[in-house]
Amino acid sequence: MPLFFLSYAQEDNRNGQVQAFFGDLSEAVAGLAGVRWHEAGFIDGQMLLGTTWTDALASALSTSACLVALTSPRYVVSDYCGREFRVFADRIDEHERQFQVRPPALVPVQWIPCDRLPEVVGTFQYRNFPAGTVYAQDGLLTLKQRRRHEDEYRDFVDALAKHIVQTARDHTLHQPAQRPTLAKVTSAFGPPARPQEQTGPSVAGAVQRATNARHVHIVLVAGSSAELAGSRPGAEERYGAVSRDWRPYRPELEVPIGSWAGAIATTKSYGWTVEDAEELAAVREWARAHNQIVVLVVDVWSADLPRYQLSLIRYDRDVGSPRAPVLVPWTAADDAASGGNRKMWDTLARVLPHHVLHNTRDVWRTEIATSARFQEELEDVLVVEQGRIYRTGTVYQEPPTDGPGLRPILEGP
């Protein structure tokens, strides 16, 4: 019986960081519990989404003393991870019904921050291990990747290991009589939570925005599935109720593009927010005042919507201000739906003519066909934009102007 089960999104382990964390945690747990390393924890490093649940995985999920859930933008939209979460949460509920005690055995760990967590995750937040400012803002992955945070990372792992071992000693968690079957399990996450849509222009000062300079505003030009049902074939698969539900790379990537961009920004130590392009002017003004980065992600099928046209045209005409970089996802499905990319260029030429005319790579990245290519382009854009801010950003700490302004002269005895 493993002491802990590590639940995570497969895509979050592309660089091996999840596997490395599992090794660190297993070593710490094994040392505290006096068991062999391979008996400390269970991780599924082989099975991909959609394949058959193995008996070994089902047994580990049914018998582990704790579940550690590495939350991230990918994790919270993964139906597969939601099913793992459900199986373990049901075990805790059953234990509580039988013994009137709710063991702290399901531990969400913020691997990569995401702007919306399923409500069920919030009911399992425990504070038995340290969570400093860096962890709270940027997640455990940042602590692990950056050498200057090595001590904080080790403290976190050690405290989490103590929590797991103590929980295993204090509680014998309920075990189901039969191993769970994936096909019969419903995801605990359900449909993603949807923020309320704005019904009118925002009131100045009502929106609370970050003031930290290392912050990225991811501004989306994306309509809803209802708005695009008549113009974009397959709109119900790629759009939702609001702009931030847009998933241009589906089924390759199930994560909404705003959350995917935020996850990329997090790995570069940026805070981030996802915003609608109707607020583009206000966002740019705020970002300019605080030396922040604005990235405009444009869905060509939505750029013609009346609520976006005016914002985009005004932005394009504002040649006196620094231009926000524009990223344009355009997949094979878009190309097939339009019969070629003429639709893309015709639309962009109407709403962003100066961008199309000048076609400067620093601020103009089009026909981004895959999520991996999107990551490359966004990472490059962040480097370019940070360099621009270093050169032209606002300096707030002015040198003193009182006094004679003479240079000091040092004289010997």
Side-chain angles (χ1 to χ4, degrees):
M1 181 184 77
L3 293 181
F4 74 93
F5 182 106
L6 188 66
S7 178
Y8 69 99
Q10 291 282 342
E11 287 291 310
D12 286 340
N13 194 37
R14 278 190 171 181
N15 58 4
Q17 294 290 348
V18 170
Q19 192 78 37
F21 165 70
F22 173 78
D24 294 337
L25 184 58
S26 294
E27 183 176 356
V29 168
L32 289 172
V35 300
R36 290 177 292 181
W37 185 90
H38 71 274
E39 296 173 330
F42 180 92
I43 185 173
D44 171 27
Q46 306 298 326
M47 190 166 53
L48 298 176
L49 179 63
T51 60
T52 304
W53 240 11
T54 65
D55 289 344
L57 186 149
S59 295
L61 198 57
S62 301
T63 60
S64 296
C66 289
L67 182 138
V68 176
L70 296 187
T71 64
S72 71
R74 293 186 182 106
Y75 187 87
V76 300
V77 298
S78 168
D79 180 71
Y80 190 83
C81 295
R83 296 182 188 211
E84 291 181 346
F85 200 100
R86 168 65 68 194
V87 169
F88 209 88
D90 286 348
R91 289 181 61 199
I92 292 177
D93 290 343
E94 181 60 30
H95 187 95
E96 185 178 25
R97 281 192 290 270
Q98 290 185 17
F99 303 103
Q100 288 72 54
V101 174
R102 191 167 183 83
L106 200 163
V107 186
V109 171
Q110 180 178 243
W111 186 247
I112 298 173
C114 47
D115 57 344
R116 288 178 294 165
L117 285 176
E119 184 178 351
V120 67
V121 176
T123 66
F124 289 96
Q125 295 288 356
Y126 300 107
R127 305 301 180 191
N128 293 15
F129 41 93
T133 302
V134 177
Y135 170 81
Q137 292 183 351
D138 301 327
L140 188 61
L141 177 60
T142 296
L143 287 184
K144 179 164 180 24
Q145 288 181 319
R146 301 194 177 279
R147 297 184 64 179
R148 65 178 179 271
H149 300 310
E150 183 176 356
D151 289 343
E152 294 175 72
Y153 170 74
R154 288 293 173 186
D155 289 345
F156 188 99
V157 170
D158 289 344
L160 178 56
K162 291 176 183 176
H163 178 92
I164 291 169
V165 173
Q166 190 63 50
T167 300
R169 289 172 178 169
D170 292 346
H171 306 277
T172 302
L173 199 62
H174 167 79
Q175 297 182 15
Q178 294 182 334
R179 285 194 299 256
T181 303
L182 179 61
K184 298 180 180 179
V185 176
T186 303
S187 171
F189 303 156
R194 304 186 188 282
Q196 292 183 348
E197 291 188 85
Q198 292 182 347
T199 56
S202 62
V203 179
V207 178
Q208 297 296 320
R209 294 193 170 98
T211 58
N212 185 356
R214 288 193 67 82
H215 192 90
V216 181
H217 298 270
I218 302 156
V219 183
L220 301 182
V221 177
S224 67
S225 55
E227 289 176 307
L228 296 167
S231 59
R232 171 62 171 97
E236 66 281 355
E237 296 180 1
R238 289 177 170 77
Y239 306 89
V242 292
S243 62
R244 65 175 59 210
D245 292 327
W246 176 36
R247 294 172 169 84
Y249 297 113
R250 195 174 187 182
E252 174 208 344
L253 181 71
E254 292 292 337
V255 178
I257 193 67
S259 296
W260 174 232
I264 296 167
T266 297
T267 64
K268 302 303 177 184
S269 298
Y270 287 95
W272 57 278
T273 50
V274 177
E275 309 200 44
D276 191 278
E278 287 185 278
E279 298 294 322
L280 179 57
V283 170
R284 291 183 69 210
E285 182 179 355
W286 181 272
R288 189 161 51 243
H290 295 86
N291 291 330
Q292 297 170 340
I293 296 173
V294 177
V295 177
L296 192 60
V297 185
V298 177
D299 172 47
V300 171
W301 302 91
S302 303
D304 267 339
L305 295 175
R307 64 189 179 100
Y308 287 134
Q309 283 184 343
L310 187 58
S311 293
L312 292 175
I313 292 172
R314 284 178 175 173
Y315 158 67
D316 189 71
R317 290 175 179 173
D318 186 12
V319 295
S321 301
R323 293 190 181 279
V326 176
L327 277 63
V328 183
W330 185 260
T331 67
D334 292 305
D335 210 46
S338 67
N341 65 0
R342 180 175 179 178
K343 158 74 177 178
M344 179 181 68
W345 289 111
D346 285 350
T347 301
L348 294 176
R350 282 195 299 275
V351 297
L352 296 170
H354 288 94
H355 280 77
V356 173
L357 179 62
H358 295 288
N359 199 21
T360 304
R361 178 165 171 75
D362 284 355
V363 295
W364 189 237
R365 314 288 178 106
T366 62
E367 298 182 89
I368 305 175
T370 66
S371 62
R373 173 74 184 284
F374 183 90
Q375 178 175 354
E376 294 172 3
E377 296 287 7
L378 180 56
E379 288 175 345
D380 189 47
V381 158
L382 294 178
V383 171
V384 171
E385 281 297 285
Q386 194 61 65
R388 178 190 63 78
I389 290 173
Y390 284 150
R391 294 190 306 272
T392 65
T394 304
V395 178
Y396 290 101
Q397 190 170 1
E398 300 289 346
T401 57
D402 55 336
L406 300 177
R407 295 176 60 188
I409 298 175
L410 300 180
E411 297 181 353

